[in-house]
Amino acid sequence: CSSVDSSGPPDLGQAQFTLQGRLGVRWQGDSQQAQLNWQHGSGGDWMTLEGPLGQTVASLSRTASQVELQTTEGRYVASDPESLTEKVLGWRLPLQGLSYWVQGKLDPMQAGEPERDEQGRLQQLQQQDWLIRVSSYFPDHPTAGALPRKLSLQRDGLELRLVVDQWTLPDGTTLTP
Amino acid sequence: DGMSQLKAFLDGGQSASAVFTQTVVGKQKRQQSSGTFELQRPGKFRWEYLKPFPQLIVSDAKKVWVYDPDLEQVTERNLTRAIGDTPAALLAGSNELEKGFSLKAAGSHDGLEWVIATPKDAESTFKQIELGFTENQLKRMVMQDQFGQTTTVDFSQIQRNPKLDPKRFEFTPPKGADVIKDKG
């Protein structure tokens, strides 16, 4: 059987955050839900998607030079995550932008006019053809500040919803609801 | 041995209920969850996570719904399509286990008699499922995925043939959660 060479994460450079949460995907009348584990570093990303029983469905590894997606069907490589996930999973994962939006920040490489709530936290933003809405935040944290708990991303007929169940930060801080 | 206990378990009762704890151990993670499990043969089951967050998997023997209140999302799939990914479906099935898996006895350890179920479909998300029995009752499932991650489910407070309300195996989407039917 296709045993997967689960090589594990690449060198991610300087750790920036790790999150555990859930991802809901809806497009063209199809729907998927998965548990999400995501390690983000200055030099790359390591992400796994799992079913409710912890069965890994896919792993995605990004380094400066390439992106690799491993599923039970095979291994796929491309230069950017969006085209790779669209080709293999059927929906686009804007990993670059999401690594900022998930922290309630703007992607500095893109233009965009944020709408903020009365505490100055990002509420809505249009960047890279994505409409990003942050619907709830974790309580403000002395060092981590305001980190999102629930956000949604919409682009054409695709909607990605993300619920963060746990943030882990380089200084060891962990936030859970 | 394990095989005779598996057969007795599958043929033994029309219904069962239990509490479960689930531990997922992978390279970078260890995650615990718990909830309740009910089944009504053939084909109906309710696998409800309560901790650390609510998530419901229900089968009425035709369809399987996965409902996540935080995501406000319901995914509906035909039971036949979901079989490989939801071991609960195997336990509630009449012969799904034999159809989709090759089964072999695997001796006894940890005080249980074991059967190893290997999916016939090489691209199933699970590489192998071990079922541990005692007194014709399933006590533990150990599931290996294709990425080296292991999920262990332990059952307790097991009741044989309880009277279960049929509504437990029906699912009506709550207001606001949009249901997306599976094209498959």
Side-chain angles (χ1 to χ4, degrees), chain B residues 53-69:
Chain B
F53 43 76
Q55 201 169 57
L56 177 61
I57 308 174
V58 176
S59 160
D60 67 355
K62 290 188 291 302
K63 297 251 184 251
V64 180
W65 291 272
V66 178
Y67 170 49
D68 187 312

Side-chain angles (χ1 to χ4, degrees), chain A residues 4 6 22 24-26 29-33 35 39 50 52-56 72-73 150 161 165, chain B residues 22 27-29 49 53 66 68 70-73 75 85 87 123 145-147 149 151 178 180-181:
Chain A
V4 157
S6 41
R22 286 160 282 155
V25 182
R26 273 178 276 217
D30 200 353
S31 152
Q32 279 175 10
Q33 294 171 41
Q35 313 265 41
Q39 288 176 46
E50 297 163 8
L53 283 150
Q55 70 274 40
T56 309
T72 52
E73 276 98 33
K150 281 192 193 180
R161 281 188 183 183
D165 293 311
Chain B
Q22 174 180 299
K27 289 189 200 52
Q28 262 73 43
K29 69 176 269 187
Y49 290 97
F53 43 76
V66 178
D68 187 312
D70 290 327
L71 288 174
E72 292 164 72
Q73 183 167 339
T75 300
D85 297 336
E123 280 159 16
D145 73 3
Q146 304 276 10
F147 289 72
Q149 189 145 288
T151 299
D178 36 9
I180 307 285
K181 294 207 172 23

Side-chain angles (χ1 to χ4, degrees), chain A residues 100-101 103-106 113-125 134 136-138 140 144-148:
Chain A
Y100 295 98
W101 305 330
Q103 297 181 72
K105 299 177 184 160
L106 276 71
E113 276 313 312
E115 281 168 38
R116 295 187 180 280
D117 65 14
E118 62 291 354
Q119 286 150 323
R121 301 177 307 188
L122 178 66
Q123 213 164 27
Q124 185 165 312
L125 169 68
V134 185
S136 73
Y137 278 84
F138 280 85
D140 251 15
L147 284 172

Side-chain angles (χ1 to χ4, degrees), chain A residues 85-174:
Chain A
T85 54
E86 180 158 55
K87 188 179 77 174
V88 177
L89 303 175
W91 43 272
R92 302 172 70 91
L93 176 68
L95 192 55
Q96 157 85 14
L98 186 55
S99 63
Y100 295 98
W101 305 330
V102 79
Q103 297 181 72
K105 299 177 184 160
L106 276 71
D107 176 350
M109 264 74 90
Q110 312 289 341
E113 276 313 312
E115 281 168 38
R116 295 187 180 280
D117 65 14
E118 62 291 354
Q119 286 150 323
R121 301 177 307 188
L122 178 66
Q123 213 164 27
Q124 185 165 312
L125 169 68
Q126 179 85 33
Q127 270 197 318
Q128 283 175 357
D129 308 328
W130 289 90
L131 173 62
I132 301 111
R133 281 201 190 90
V134 185
S135 52
S136 73
Y137 278 84
F138 280 85
D140 251 15
H141 184 272
T143 54
L147 284 172
R149 159 99 167 116
K150 281 192 193 180
L151 59 153
S152 77
L153 285 67
Q154 279 162 327
R155 172 190 171 132
D156 311 329
L158 168 64
E159 182 183 2
L160 303 178
R161 281 188 183 183
L162 181 54
V163 171
V164 180
D165 293 311
Q166 178 171 305
W167 282 101
T168 306
L169 302 176
D171 64 3
T173 308
T174 57

Side-chain angles (χ1 to χ4, degrees), chain B residues 5-20:
Chain B
Q5 296 210 44
L6 168 63
K7 192 152 185 12
F9 170 73
L10 288 175
D11 307 338
Q14 279 316 312
S15 63
S17 70
V19 168
F20 69 81

Side-chain angles (χ1 to χ4, degrees), chain A residues 31-49:
Chain A
S31 152
Q32 279 175 10
Q33 294 171 41
Q35 313 265 41
L36 175 69
N37 301 287
W38 181 8
Q39 288 176 46
H40 176 63
S42 57
D45 289 281
W46 170 253
M47 190 183 264
T48 59
L49 295 172

